[in-house]
Amino acid sequence: MYFPYLRGKQFELIALRELVGLPLNPERIIPIIEPVKKNVSSLKTALKALSGAEIRVQLVVNAEHGELKGDSESIFTLIEELKDLGVTSIIPTYLIKTDRDSFFAQESIRQRGFSDSGYALVHLNKTNDIQSLSDFTKNTACLYNTIHINNLFGLKRKYDNRALLSDNFNKLTKNTDYIAIKEEVFSTDYLYFPDEGCIAFSDYQTIGSSYSEGGGPAYAVAIHLTYKLEGDEDIRIAHFVSKSNDDASDPARKYFEALEDLIQFVDEKNIPDTIALREFRRHYQQQSFSGLGVVKKLSIMHHIELIQGLIS
């Protein structure tokens, strides 16, 4: 199984909604969503769409980032509202990074009855095992223990229903820094996660784990595309960067410069078609540009479709 880790930003949620018709495979894809916006209308719409496709979602109730950090009550309220609408595919999920997170999770699971209905844990504590969680990680109602790769060796014999979480995206300071790299190895987790005793794996797609509310005008536009060539075990990632990067003017031109290189690369490598690649081609043919959020959305969509194809 694959657990794509997404923050609840607009275009990340739209990416999931637009992939529903792929269709997403409920036996292969179970997203983890960390809500980061107080206005949960987009999140609610996405969760309803995913539920309609029988896709379960691990919904983080104690967000580490964004406007909902420290506001678990809003997420619990949303879960109850969705239940009233017949959406029962939400798995309350707790990020565990400190002892405080552990205590909160234990009390919350008890008080809200999740020890009967089911919950999941994402272990972000990279160096220390929090022993107090032992009963909760072994409980049959603990559906998934997603463990950061840096802590996997110490925990994999203790936790059942394990998933491997990796941050495979090489996050550089500026988009222009990717000009020197062009392409690199991204991951082989899809192939080797069972060797680690895991039932699933998780990553942050082509975004990375670092969080920001949003940047200013882009001097350079970069498109990041994962791919796997026949006969090669590695998933690789290619970076396509605009050329007119002296100032922040004309982002559409910058996008088409990067997009032209992407189309040429895809054709030369004979990379299999996806929903996102078809949309990239349409943009290039029609010279249409709807903003950088759409670029990120398509990159996410392509990666999730790639992974689903590999593990199916």
Side-chain angles (χ1 to χ4, degrees):
M1 288 187 292
Y2 174 48
F3 300 164
Y5 194 114
L6 296 154
R7 270 50 184 260
K9 288 186 174 183
Q10 179 185 8
F11 285 100
E12 296 175 35
L13 295 172
I14 294 174
L16 290 175
R17 282 167 44 196
E18 293 189 1
L19 279 171
V20 163
L22 180 58
L24 287 177
N25 186 334
E27 300 301 319
R28 295 287 182 264
I29 307 294
I30 305 177
I32 301 172
I33 300 179
E34 179 185 348
V36 294
K37 297 294 182 182
K38 284 188 176 180
N39 184 345
V40 296
S41 58
S42 295
L43 175 61
K44 191 172 182 179
T45 299
L47 292 173
K48 288 165 65 177
L50 291 163
S51 174
E54 300 183 343
I55 301 296
R56 292 170 291 165
V57 173
Q58 299 175 65
L59 185 64
V60 172
V61 299
N62 61 328
E64 184 183 15
H65 302 287
E67 299 170 358
L68 286 170
K69 182 178 180 179
D71 184 12
S72 297
E73 200 58 41
S74 292
I75 304 306
F76 291 131
T77 299
L78 175 62
I79 292 173
E80 292 303 316
E81 289 177 357
L82 288 167
K83 280 184 182 178
D84 292 341
L85 295 172
V87 177
T88 58
S89 54
I90 307 302
I91 303 170
T93 300
Y94 296 83
L95 301 183
I96 307 299
K97 198 169 185 179
T98 66
D99 285 321
R100 182 177 180 179
D101 297 332
S102 173
F103 299 144
F104 170 74
Q106 293 175 70
E107 285 303 306
S108 174
I109 290 166
R110 289 193 192 99
Q111 292 173 4
R112 297 182 180 273
F114 296 152
S115 54
D116 296 320
S117 60
Y119 58 91
L121 303 171
V122 178
H123 302 271
L124 296 177
N125 46 314
K126 299 179 183 179
T127 55
N128 298 314
D129 180 13
I130 298 177
Q131 295 289 343
S132 61
L133 267 178
S134 178
D135 291 342
F136 290 86
T137 60
K138 293 287 187 180
N139 191 314
T140 55
C142 184
L143 303 177
Y144 307 112
N145 280 291
T146 300
I147 304 170
H148 193 282
I149 191 171
N150 287 1
N151 207 20
L152 182 64
F153 181 77
L155 300 185
K156 69 180 182 179
R157 295 183 180 178
K158 301 179 183 181
Y159 292 1
D160 297 329
N161 298 326
R162 296 183 298 275
L164 168 68
L165 173 61
S166 301
D167 183 5
N168 300 312
F169 182 65
N170 181 15
K171 182 72 172 179
L172 301 181
T173 304
K174 304 186 300 296
N175 282 340
T176 51
D177 293 339
Y178 291 103
I179 294 173
I181 295 178
K182 295 185 180 178
E183 57 177 302
E184 58 190 321
V185 172
F186 184 81
S187 171
T188 53
D189 291 344
Y190 79 97
L191 195 59
Y192 292 111
F193 72 91
D195 294 345
E196 298 293 344
C198 295
I199 62 171
F201 70 101
S202 178
D203 65 26
Y204 298 89
Q205 305 91 53
T206 55
I207 304 172
S209 62
S210 62
Y211 177 80
S212 64
E213 289 292 343
Y219 274 67
V221 168
I223 310 173
H224 309 287
L225 190 82
T226 51
Y227 66 97
K228 178 188 171 297
L229 299 179
E230 188 173 352
D232 188 355
E233 290 185 349
D234 295 335
I235 294 176
R236 299 183 64 83
I237 185 168
H239 312 285
F240 308 97
V241 184
S242 56
K243 299 173 177 62
S244 55
N245 304 324
D246 293 333
D247 56 42
S249 65
D250 203 351
R253 180 178 67 171
K254 298 176 189 295
Y255 173 52
F256 296 131
E257 289 171 351
L259 186 56
E260 182 175 22
D261 288 345
L262 181 149
I263 299 298
Q264 181 178 350
F265 181 87
V266 166
D267 290 342
E268 288 178 352
K269 297 287 188 180
N270 198 27
I271 294 173
D273 212 9
T274 62
I275 292 173
L277 284 181
R278 289 194 292 273
E279 189 67 5
F280 275 132
R281 288 187 186 278
R282 187 184 69 81
H283 289 181
Y284 184 66
Q285 291 164 358
Q286 299 180 2
Q287 292 290 285
S288 62
F289 174 66
S290 301
L292 296 178
V294 173
V295 180
K296 180 175 79 168
K297 177 197 75 171
L298 292 175
S299 182
I300 292 169
M301 290 175 64
H302 175 80
H303 182 69
I304 293 175
E305 184 172 350
L306 169 66
I307 296 296
Q308 175 167 284
L310 290 174
I311 62 177
S312 292

